[in-house]
Amino acid sequence: MVLDLTPSLRPHGAQRMFSATTLVIEAFVVFFAVLVAHQLAPDSRVSTWAWGLLTALALVSCSGLLRRGSWPYWVGIALQIPTVLLGLRVGAMWVVGLAFAALFVYGAFKGRQLDREKDTVDARVRAAQGEDPAAPDDV
């Protein structure tokens, strides 16, 4: 498996769509887990809120940066660690965090593969129509 996460030039590619959607939904889940942890661990509410809100804000920020190259995808993978570690406060987050980590990694790599295949098909169609096959897709 090639670890290439360079995003496609297409504006609404599958890689960006899958990854951004996962990160934003994950931010909501982290926020709701912090609400649960607020009641489960009353002695450490400040650290729980700081941890959860910083993680949620980082997830949303990362989803907005996905068009800037491959580094936001690697940051998104790294952000899965504090999400999973939220299981220290809310036990269910071990499972939920691992599920989101798997979804994000799968979406990033599979979305990249789908975008590459779509780019190849688009280039073939342009070549068959006599257009420049390297021209970017306007759709």
Side-chain angles (χ1 to χ4, degrees):
M1 179 167 107
V2 178
L3 297 178
D4 179 26
L5 287 176
T6 306
S8 171
L9 296 177
R10 72 181 50 254
H12 304 290
Q15 181 186 27
R16 191 175 307 145
M17 181 185 62
F18 292 157
S19 300
T21 302
T22 302
L23 289 174
V24 170
I25 293 172
E26 186 175 7
F28 280 109
V29 170
V30 166
F31 177 74
F32 290 124
V34 169
L35 289 175
V36 171
H38 177 81
Q39 293 298 321
L40 292 178
D43 55 330
S44 59
R45 287 182 174 165
V46 173
S47 64
T48 301
W49 276 101
W51 178 0
L53 290 180
L54 286 175
T55 302
L57 288 173
L59 289 166
V60 171
S61 299
C62 185
S63 73
L65 294 172
L66 291 176
R67 70 181 63 183
R68 305 230 182 228
S70 62
W71 66 269
Y73 291 96
W74 293 108
V75 170
I77 291 172
L79 284 174
Q80 302 308 309
I81 295 168
T83 303
V84 172
L85 288 179
L86 197 55
L88 295 171
R89 303 276 194 237
V90 180
M93 282 303 291
W94 292 114
V95 175
V96 174
L98 287 174
F100 271 106
L103 278 173
F104 181 77
V105 170
Y106 180 77
F109 285 105
K110 190 60 162 178
R112 174 68 180 135
Q113 177 188 356
L114 292 172
D115 287 343
R116 272 188 307 212
E117 291 172 3
K118 177 73 169 130
D119 291 341
T120 303
V121 169
D122 289 348
R124 275 193 229 143
V125 168
R126 283 192 198 98
Q129 293 174 347
E131 299 174 11
D132 180 17
D137 193 15
D138 293 335
V139 179

